[in-house]
Amino acid sequence: CWHPAMGSVGACRQCAVKHFKDDKDTHGKLVMACMTAAAQGTRISIKDPEAVAFRAGIIEGMMINHPHDCPVCDEGGHCHLQDMTVMTGHDYRRYSFLKRSFRNQYLGPLVNHEMNRCIQCYRCVRFYREYAGGRDFDVFGLRDQVYFGRHADGALENEFSGNLVEVCPTGVFTDKTLKRHYTRKWDMQMAPSVCVHCALGCNITPAERYGKLRQIVTRYNREINGYFLCDRGRFGYEFVNSDQRIRQPRRGRDKSITRSEALQHLAPLVAEGSKVIGIGSPRASLESNFLLRALVGPGRFYAGVSDDQHQLISAMLEILQAGPAHSPSLHEIELSDAVLILGEDVTNVAPIMALRLRQSVRQQPFAGADIEKMHIPTWDDYAMRNALQDAKGPLFIATPAATRLDDVATQTHRGAPDDVARLGFAIAHALDERAPVAPGLPPETYVLADQIAHALKNAKRPVVISGGSCNNIAIIQAAANVSRALFAGGLPAALSFIVPECNSFGLALMGGAPLGHAFKAVHGGMAETIIVLENDLYLRGPAKSVDAFLNGARETIVLDHLLNPTAQKATIMLPAGTFAESDGTLVNNEGRAQRFFQVFVPENDIQPSWRWLCDAMAAAERPEGTVWKSLDDIIAAMSAAIPGLAGVQQAAPDASFRIAGQKVPREPERRSGRTAISANLNVSEPKPPDDPDSPFSFSMEGTPDQPPAALIPFFWVPGWSSIQSTNFYQTEIAGPLRGGTPGVRVINPAPIAGGSYFTQVPPPFVPLRHDFLVVPLYHIFGSEELSHCAPAIAELIPQPYIALNQEDAKRLHVEADNPVKVRLEDATYSLPVKIKPELPMGVVGLPVGLPGLTTISLPVRSILEREDNRQ
């Protein structure tokens, strides 16, 4: 029942030990270790015969109703119940009567339910309801029957439901996406990696067999994701196996060409130099972006993001580098005792940060005097929750629309983006009178600003969270003002910015003008060849502008994973490796550079983007193409060329790293081999491929010792096949990994803090009668590009809609689900209405990224009409 992230409840009785009063006590008493505090002089025995027999009896009781299905169970081989059953020596079943049985539920496309395997540990309901805040899952009891599930069949609604797969110590909840291409844990090849579906940089372990990515599991990192992942990060991996993958070089959309033909076509284009421009990408690695920058030259390298996004990300980077506030890790955010969120729907844009924030609201009550008087240790979860009840620390959220964190917020504020910024400026002024005033606020907003300022001022570890989701630079500046005002009062506040993609900050450190400048270069005849790196430009700007840009070039070379609209316009398409098929470095929103490693060698001509670019240099007889032969060469050159990335070399050991002369194996020792699927054709084991770019081997051969934290490919120790084996890799339970935290920070405040208060306070938003302000809304499933091609995630993507409050809906004479015409730039949409009562008057919400909606820079003013054209 015990889980290191959720404390102790003493429910399963499996940790029974014999406790002795002193050295004269020979009898002792049985106690549950998870509920017994360690103290000076404590004497316990784990191997006392009575304790051993008690634990074995508990396991036998659990196994009475557990089905005999280990050979066919999806959890087999990484099941904690298996670990414990073997440890207690329970290998013979005396029970021969009918077993208890349950009906399984449909829980959606992500999680499979096998209730007959349940051992009533209560981990699932504790995580789902108490830790993750879900409300559509519970425990139900009737007489001696206990059932864990939903009140009715249906998809689990919580964004972290996939963690039930790892939280459950047996096979009740399993990965439904793995079920479609199931492989035992010990037969999969794994490597340390980083999630690419948002900017947080959560650590993951992808697993592959037979050239197909099969599963993602959590790779513990205390400073970032801890023990958990969001559902998009856990299940979005299937885009790697998509039918939309570009697997061979192509000329145009349909004609396949060989690798040598593609390079022959590229060589003269690259040799021309001055007529070639490169479009970088915030979802491509530092190394790939640097190679493109080196190929075309720094002056012809463009960042590959829209002009407004470029402005926002650059502003956030400058604020963090100027200081004085530092960018906190997610672990620091969890430990914060007062939080202000300005303009961010955190659950949908940075999910694991939201999970951490749910724990942060317990920090201030934990420190309360009453708890100290009651002598309740923080690890005693059930007693703590009983004592605290619904007590929560300060969490204030100011956004245009409701968020999934509102249920734990102290207070929420709804306003147009400019009004959210004005509240932030008012808070900063309440903290420090030297900060600019936000004039003309309603009296209740001044009161709220004072309340928030008071909470932040009286906290020990305040955190301000903001970002670019509202596409409003004033919100970012207001957040900076609040953090600087706290520092002016002697309080070291932390400032966390949420950026859009997995390498947004890395690309910003690389430099390069925004996409609008690239458009001008082509329109002005300064460029004839465009090289687009892992970037769908139709997600960056209006389709008409992108069409004119691509059509204006003589050649368009696209390196990407998926056949997206930009790739379809290419004269040459090159198949780029995904995160699972390449090595590279990403910089997360904290400013931490982290290395991800190739999990498997793909078939056909797929290879990392940086290797394609290096090969193009060699084909054009550029000197770099012969000098840069490995990932380490590129990282060294990048560190020398770009001072802001000089520390990237320390993100992980280089390819020469060995333990006692041995590489680190990607495959577990228990692996049964790769030839079974083709044994009818050939039983010869092929030679594993060489890997010159990392210290890993593509086999089970290598060091049996624990590698440094950045190189841990999977968690496993003898006797502990389950994810619980993570404990053996930590310096202490729930502490850092041995060998330190993976990655290295490359964004830090200046030694001498700079940055004065921002003074451009926006005017208040004024609703107009005949048009509305359309603001962006975000969905964890649908607003991110790559996970669209994961079938299970695709099932959960909502249909496009337009969100209004009731008063605006009445003014338009429409109700929920009625169609409304929305005019946006050059496009007109007919969208069903969704009523969101919290939206301010005159503000409507439009989801970002959903299929069928073209890219529009929001917020924007727009006219809404009923289908019968009545305004």
Side-chain angles (χ1 to χ4, degrees):
C1 69
W2 174 82
H3 188 281
M6 295 187 286
S8 302
V9 291
C12 74
R13 329 306 290 170
Q14 185 53 39
C15 64
V17 295
K18 184 65 76 71
H19 180 229
F20 301 93
K21 292 181 182 178
D22 50 41
D23 56 355
K24 297 178 182 177
D25 183 3
T26 58
H27 186 265
K29 64 176 181 179
L30 285 175
V31 298
M32 300 307 117
C34 75
M35 300 298 290
T36 304
Q40 187 67 30
T42 298
R43 298 170 63 85
I44 63 166
S45 171
I46 297 172
K47 296 185 177 181
D48 180 88
E50 188 179 358
V52 170
F54 183 89
R55 294 196 298 268
I58 293 294
I59 283 290
E60 184 171 22
M62 289 178 180
M63 298 303 290
I64 281 176
N65 285 300
H66 197 80
H68 301 193
D69 65 348
C70 290
V72 297
C73 176
D74 293 357
E75 194 79 0
H78 50 124
C79 171
H80 191 41
L81 180 61
Q82 280 181 342
D83 292 343
M84 303 304 289
T85 303
V86 172
M87 284 181 197
T88 60
H90 177 64
D91 56 6
Y92 180 78
R93 305 197 183 198
R94 296 182 290 172
Y95 183 79
S96 59
F97 304 98
L98 288 175
K99 290 178 177 286
R100 172 208 62 208
S101 61
F102 292 105
R103 171 188 171 274
N104 300 322
Q105 284 189 309
Y106 169 76
L107 298 179
L110 307 180
V111 178
N112 194 61
H113 191 224
E114 289 282 352
M115 186 58 204
N116 287 335
R117 298 173 184 154
C118 183
I119 57 172
Q120 292 85 44
C121 70
Y122 286 82
R123 271 193 187 190
C124 59
V125 72
R126 290 178 59 217
F127 169 79
Y128 197 92
R129 294 186 66 86
E130 297 173 5
Y131 196 93
R135 288 293 172 265
D136 62 317
F137 180 94
D138 212 336
V139 54
F140 303 92
L142 176 64
R143 297 188 296 274
D144 61 342
Q145 302 285 304
V146 180
Y147 189 90
F148 296 87
R150 300 184 84 248
H151 69 284
D153 285 17
L156 291 167
E157 297 171 6
N158 191 268
E159 298 81 3
F160 310 100
S161 64
N163 291 292
L164 295 175
V165 174
E166 290 182 24
V167 166
C168 178
T170 180
V172 179
F173 303 99
T174 53
D175 183 341
K176 189 174 280 189
T177 66
L178 174 64
K179 207 173 185 69
R180 289 198 292 267
H181 41 227
Y182 185 74
T183 299
R184 290 295 190 197
K185 177 183 179 180
W186 56 77
D187 280 332
M188 292 196 277
Q189 185 167 248
M190 293 163 272
S193 194
V194 178
C195 182
V196 296
H197 296 294
C198 81
L200 296 183
C202 294
N203 287 199
I204 58 174
T205 298
E208 169 271 351
R209 197 179 193 201
Y210 299 134
K212 180 178 284 189
L213 202 59
R214 310 266 172 162
Q215 186 183 32
I216 296 284
V217 297
T218 308
R219 183 164 65 100
Y220 173 84
N221 185 323
R222 186 181 76 152
E223 296 302 317
I224 303 178
N225 54 300
Y227 292 92
F228 305 116
L229 293 173
C230 75
D231 287 353
R232 185 170 68 193
R234 185 180 297 277
F235 301 109
Y237 72 92
E238 286 191 297
F239 80 89
V240 176
N241 309 323
S242 171
D243 293 338
Q244 295 297 309
R245 284 297 302 277
I246 304 169
R247 299 190 179 275
Q248 289 182 313
R250 298 184 193 179
R251 187 190 302 277
R253 180 175 178 178
D254 301 317
K255 184 180 179 182
S256 296
I257 58 176
T258 65
R259 179 177 177 277
S260 60
E261 287 173 332
L263 292 173
Q264 286 173 10
H265 186 93
L266 250 63
L269 300 177
V270 172
E272 288 178 13
S274 62
K275 290 291 186 177
V276 182
I277 62 171
I279 309 297
S281 171
R283 63 172 166 88
S285 68
L286 288 177
E287 293 79 2
S288 295
N289 278 296
F290 175 72
L291 255 295
L292 180 58
R293 181 180 183 269
L295 180 73
V296 301
R300 294 185 294 276
F301 174 76
Y302 297 89
V305 295
S306 64
D307 293 31
D308 50 2
Q309 282 293 310
H310 187 270
Q311 180 194 25
L312 296 170
I313 295 167
S314 299
M316 289 185 268
L317 181 60
E318 290 169 7
I319 289 167
L320 292 179
Q321 289 176 327
H326 82 289
S327 180
S329 69
L330 295 188
H331 179 63
E332 290 177 86
I333 288 175
E334 180 172 327
L335 296 179
S336 62
D337 54 355
V339 179
L340 169 64
I341 300 173
L342 287 176
E344 292 296 310
D345 181 358
V346 180
T347 306
N348 284 311
V349 296
I352 287 295
M353 182 185 288
L355 190 63
R356 294 283 199 167
L357 285 168
R358 284 191 174 276
Q359 318 321 312
S360 75
V361 297
R362 302 182 69 195
Q363 298 303 318
Q364 193 183 75
F366 275 179
D370 290 342
I371 299 298
E372 292 178 5
K373 290 176 184 176
M374 286 186 276
H375 303 290
I376 302 175
T378 56
W379 50 258
D380 192 343
D381 189 67
Y382 184 74
M384 284 293 294
R385 290 186 184 278
N386 264 343
L388 296 177
Q389 295 295 313
D390 294 328
K392 297 179 181 69
L395 169 62
F396 299 94
I397 302 173
T399 52
T403 77
R404 295 294 287 267
L405 280 174
D406 289 355
D407 63 315
V408 292
T410 307
Q411 196 158 340
T412 61
H413 174 78
R414 303 289 170 242
D418 280 346
D419 287 342
V420 170
R422 286 168 57 77
L423 172 63
F425 280 108
I427 295 166
H429 181 74
L431 289 165
D432 182 2
E433 292 183 353
R434 293 169 295 181
V437 179
L441 288 175
E444 62 271 18
T445 307
Y446 280 119
V447 171
L448 176 60
D450 287 337
Q451 180 187 351
I452 297 172
H454 178 78
L456 294 173
K457 191 185 300 183
N458 287 280
K460 295 179 180 178
R461 297 179 297 276
V463 170
V464 180
I465 296 171
S466 188
S469 294
C470 286
N471 206 7
N472 185 296
I473 196 165
I475 290 178
I476 293 168
Q477 293 172 343
N481 274 14
V482 174
S483 66
R484 289 170 181 175
L486 286 167
F487 263 88
L491 196 59
L495 175 61
S496 181
F497 283 127
I498 299 171
V499 289
E501 292 171 78
C502 61
N503 205 21
S504 291
F505 270 155
L507 183 64
L509 289 166
M510 193 79 58
L515 204 53
H517 290 226
F519 290 180
K520 292 176 183 177
V522 169
H523 298 331
M526 294 178 288
E528 295 180 356
T529 299
I530 305 168
I531 302 177
V532 182
L533 172 67
E534 299 182 31
N535 202 335
D536 183 4
L537 303 185
Y538 287 92
L539 298 176
R540 310 293 177 187
K544 185 180 291 186
S545 300
V546 178
D547 282 340
F549 173 60
L550 297 177
N551 294 335
R554 180 163 55 92
E555 295 275 357
T556 300
I557 314 300
V558 171
L559 298 89
D560 215 332
H561 324 309
L562 300 168
L563 190 62
N564 55 45
T566 300
Q568 292 174 2
K569 291 268 191 175
T571 52
I572 294 290
M573 275 187 275
L574 301 178
T578 64
F579 72 96
E581 300 154 338
S582 57
D583 307 282
T585 311
L586 304 173
V587 179
N588 74 348
N589 75 304
E590 178 197 348
R592 185 184 299 273
Q594 298 184 102
R595 192 77 34 83
F596 62 91
F597 293 96
Q598 186 175 16
V599 182
F600 66 101
V601 178
E603 296 178 351
N604 304 320
D605 291 316
I606 297 174
Q607 61 180 6
S609 293
W610 57 262
R611 193 170 291 285
W612 274 115
L613 295 167
C614 211
D615 290 346
M617 287 182 175
E621 299 183 348
R622 295 269 294 270
E624 303 98 321
T626 57
V627 174
W628 297 341
K629 295 185 177 297
S630 69
L631 186 74
D632 291 336
D633 295 335
I634 297 166
I635 292 172
M638 178 176 66
S639 300
I642 304 174
L645 296 172
V648 169
Q649 287 177 294
Q650 282 73 54
D654 61 27
S656 66
F657 176 84
R658 301 289 185 275
I659 297 178
Q662 294 183 304
K663 283 193 163 192
V664 179
R666 284 179 169 91
E667 301 171 359
E669 296 176 8
R670 304 168 295 163
R671 189 174 181 86
S672 56
R674 294 184 65 84
T675 55
I677 198 170
S678 57
N680 61 321
L681 303 174
N682 188 353
V683 295
S684 298
E685 185 71 30
K687 180 182 181 294
D690 293 325
D691 185 358
D693 299 310
S694 80
F696 292 96
S697 65
F698 285 106
S699 72
M700 69 181 81
E701 297 174 0
T703 177
D705 298 329
Q706 182 176 321
L711 300 182
I712 298 172
F714 47 81
F715 294 115
W716 177 82
V717 294
W720 292 78
S721 297
S722 69
I723 198 69
Q724 209 81 32
S725 58
T726 303
N727 301 341
F728 292 86
Y729 289 76
Q730 300 166 329
T731 56
E732 60 179 349
I733 298 300
L737 292 167
R738 294 176 189 167
T741 299
V744 60
R745 288 184 63 111
V746 294
I747 300 175
N748 294 291
I752 300 175
S756 56
Y757 287 123
F758 293 98
T759 58
Q760 296 295 316
V761 181
F765 168 72
V766 178
L768 300 178
R769 177 175 176 79
H770 296 295
D771 65 1
F772 294 82
L773 182 68
V774 184
V775 299
L777 301 179
Y778 296 85
H779 289 267
I780 186 172
F781 307 126
S783 295
E784 189 271 334
E785 175 185 2
L786 298 177
S787 58
H788 274 244
C789 291
I793 296 295
E795 287 188 41
L796 299 171
I797 295 176
Q799 293 299 310
Y801 64 89
I802 190 78
L804 295 81
N805 69 22
Q806 296 104 319
E807 295 303 314
D808 286 332
K810 286 179 183 177
R811 186 152 60 93
L812 289 171
H813 304 288
V814 295
E815 298 178 350
D817 299 325
N818 288 168
V820 167
K821 285 184 180 179
V822 187
R823 297 179 185 176
L824 296 167
E825 296 179 352
D826 297 326
T828 300
Y829 300 96
S830 178
L831 299 173
V833 167
K834 180 179 284 189
I835 301 298
K836 284 186 173 287
E838 76 281 358
L839 281 169
M841 284 287 294
V843 175
V844 300
L846 184 71
V848 171
L850 298 192
L853 295 177
T854 57
T855 301
I856 302 143
S857 181
L858 301 176
V860 68
R861 289 279 187 177
S862 173
I863 295 174
L864 270 63
E865 299 174 345
R866 287 174 46 181
E867 281 292 347
D868 59 7
N869 293 324
R870 288 178 56 187
Q871 289 190 4

